[in-house]
């Protein structure tokens, strides 16, 4: 049994590393401008460890199961193509890797799937390094839970959200989003939605306004943002601006949503925070209303 687990672990860690994960995505886009979470999975994890792997081409049975996955929209399918779970004393890890099928662009589809596999492979390797360091320092509890959700699914758009929750006493959650145009078979980036870089300041100012209004309306809400007449002890930690390629998605109502990881712009108890940007606030900056309405 021990040898079998080692072989399976080697299989997980031997995923080929693509030479350039983002090249296809970038080429496609260039062609078109127009945080404390419970870990319920632990109850089913064996006391020592359990390794669960699923490969797209593992067996005819798995291929049949893939064909039965509910279709998202008219074409695209999302499924777990690899899952890894391990519990050993005070450390636990659970990683689910998504895969996209029937995207209509095999090269882009493969690039995305390879990216998800490679990033989760690195996530696991980093977790094992942290466990080794923790054990070297005398031990302690450490857990990692990573998975995915489909947050937008309509006739044109699919947004896949991948999350990572790491706990070591406290916990921290981070998210990444891929918003895919299912009709035109491309990944949408934030800059591709706008005419120029002026959207950065416009969106940042709108988010600051939303932060201040929310704090005024609810004293239990806290953001690290400048407030008139209030002096901050750590002004360098205050939110100033989104990044050019900031984390975002487009919801099912066609609204732009800007997402911040836990601790990015607020205390940990606020978790991952999101701000829906009113379309009228960015109308002059948009290339078109094809995606944002």
């Amino acid at each position: 049994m021990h040898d079998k687990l080692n072989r399976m672990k080697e299989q997980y860690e031997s995923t080929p590393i693509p030479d350039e994960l983002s090249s296809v995505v970038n080429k496609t886009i260039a062609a078109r401008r127009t945080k404390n979470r419970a870990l319920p999975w632990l109850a089913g994890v064996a006391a020592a460890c359990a390794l669960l792997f699923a490969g797209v081409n593992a067996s005819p049975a798995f291929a049949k199961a893939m064909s039965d996955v509910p279709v998202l929209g008219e074409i695209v399918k999302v499924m777990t193509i690899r899952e890894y779970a391990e519990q050993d004393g005070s450390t636990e890890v659970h990683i689910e890797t998504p895969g996209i099928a029937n995207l209509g662009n095999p090269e882009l589809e493969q690039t995305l799937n390879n990216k998800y596999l490679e990033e989760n492979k690195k996530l696991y390797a980093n977790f094992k390094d942290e466990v080794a360091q923790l054990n070297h320092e005398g031990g302690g509890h450490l857990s990692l839970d990573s998975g995915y959700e489909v947050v937008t699914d309509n006739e044109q758009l699919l947004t896949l959200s991948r999350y990572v929750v790491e706990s070591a006493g406290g916990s921290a959650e981070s998210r990444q989003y891929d918003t895919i145009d299912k009709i035109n078979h491309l990944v949408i980036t934030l800059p591709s939605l706008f005419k120029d870089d002026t959207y950065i300041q416009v969106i940042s100012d709108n988010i600051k306004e939303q932060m201040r209004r929310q704090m005024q309306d609810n004293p239990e809400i806290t953001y690290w943002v400048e407030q008139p007449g209030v002096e901050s002890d750590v002004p360098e930690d205050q939110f100033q601006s989104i990044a050019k390629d900031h984390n975002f998605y487009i919801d099912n109502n066609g609204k732009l949503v800007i997402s911040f990881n836990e601790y990015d712009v607020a205390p940990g108890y606020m978790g991952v925070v999101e701000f829906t940007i009113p379309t009228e606030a960015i109308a002059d900056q948009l290339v078109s209303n094809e995606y944002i309405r």
Side-chain angles (χ1 to χ4, degrees):
M1 179 64 176
H2 181 72
D3 291 340
K4 181 178 179 181
L5 294 179
N6 283 335
R7 287 196 300 271
M8 296 172 78
K9 179 179 177 182
E10 290 171 1
Q11 176 189 356
Y12 181 86
E13 295 177 342
S14 64
T15 305
I17 302 175
D19 292 332
E20 185 57 59
L21 291 174
S22 62
S23 61
V24 177
V25 178
N26 291 335
K27 285 189 295 182
T28 307
I29 293 167
R32 184 181 180 82
R33 286 278 310 177
T34 31
K35 200 162 167 13
N36 210 348
R37 174 190 296 259
L39 303 180
W41 53 271
L42 289 177
V45 178
C49 67
L51 302 175
L52 301 173
F53 294 101
V56 174
N57 300 312
S59 69
F62 185 76
K64 172 63 169 60
M66 277 183 55
S67 69
D68 294 333
V69 174
V71 176
L72 297 174
E74 295 181 355
I75 300 174
V76 183
K77 296 180 181 181
V78 177
M79 76 293 290
T80 299
I81 59 173
R82 179 161 294 177
E83 182 173 6
Y84 179 78
E86 176 182 341
Q87 181 176 10
D88 184 11
S90 60
T91 64
E92 307 92 17
V93 58
H94 178 239
I95 300 174
E96 280 188 295
T97 302
I100 300 177
N102 296 344
L103 185 57
N105 182 330
E107 191 176 6
L108 176 58
E109 180 181 302
Q110 182 178 8
T111 298
L112 288 169
N113 292 342
N114 283 346
K115 180 182 76 165
Y116 301 150
L117 284 164
E118 176 60 20
E119 288 181 353
N120 278 358
K121 177 182 171 183
K122 290 180 179 178
L123 184 65
Y124 173 77
N126 290 339
F127 177 78
K128 298 304 287 186
D129 289 342
E130 291 183 25
V131 170
Q133 180 65 29
L134 190 65
N135 290 336
H136 178 72
E137 295 173 353
H141 177 78
L142 187 64
S143 68
L144 178 72
D145 181 26
S146 178
Y148 63 93
E149 300 170 353
V150 175
V151 296
T152 300
D153 177 26
N154 54 43
E155 291 183 358
Q156 184 169 23
L157 299 180
L158 170 73
T159 297
L160 185 64
S161 170
R162 294 177 295 131
Y163 62 82
V164 176
V165 181
E166 187 166 5
S167 302
S171 64
E173 179 177 358
S174 61
R175 285 182 175 262
Q176 298 182 66
Y177 303 85
D178 286 315
T179 296
I180 302 165
D181 181 334
K182 297 189 288 185
I183 295 176
N184 296 293
H185 317 306
L186 58 87
V187 175
I188 301 169
T189 66
L190 191 59
S192 71
L193 296 170
F194 298 98
K195 301 172 185 176
D196 53 43
D197 290 351
T198 58
Y199 72 91
I200 298 174
Q201 191 63 52
V202 172
I203 292 176
S204 299
D205 289 344
N206 184 269
I207 289 174
K208 291 175 186 178
E209 291 177 9
Q210 292 193 47
M211 287 177 170
R212 296 181 185 118
R213 185 167 60 249
Q214 289 183 32
M215 288 192 294
Q216 184 177 6
D217 294 342
N218 186 345
E220 295 184 359
I221 290 178
T222 300
Y223 293 112
W224 297 323
V225 63
E226 182 182 0
Q227 301 182 69
V230 179
E231 185 174 348
S232 172
D233 295 333
V234 283
E236 66 276 8
D237 290 338
Q238 292 182 335
F239 169 66
Q240 300 297 333
S241 174
I242 64 168
K244 182 176 182 178
D245 58 349
H246 200 94
N247 228 0
F248 82 100
Y249 65 91
I250 301 170
D251 67 19
N252 276 309
N253 296 316
K255 302 302 180 183
L256 177 66
V257 181
I258 300 296
S259 177
F260 293 89
N261 293 332
E262 190 170 2
Y263 294 104
D264 277 356
V265 295
Y269 74 85
M270 294 284 291
V272 170
V273 294
E274 299 180 343
F275 297 90
T276 299
I277 309 302
T279 301
E280 57 269 24
I282 53 175
D284 292 342
Q285 285 72 40
L286 288 170
V287 170
S288 73
N289 294 109
E290 181 174 2
Y291 303 126
I292 308 297
R293 302 178 178 89

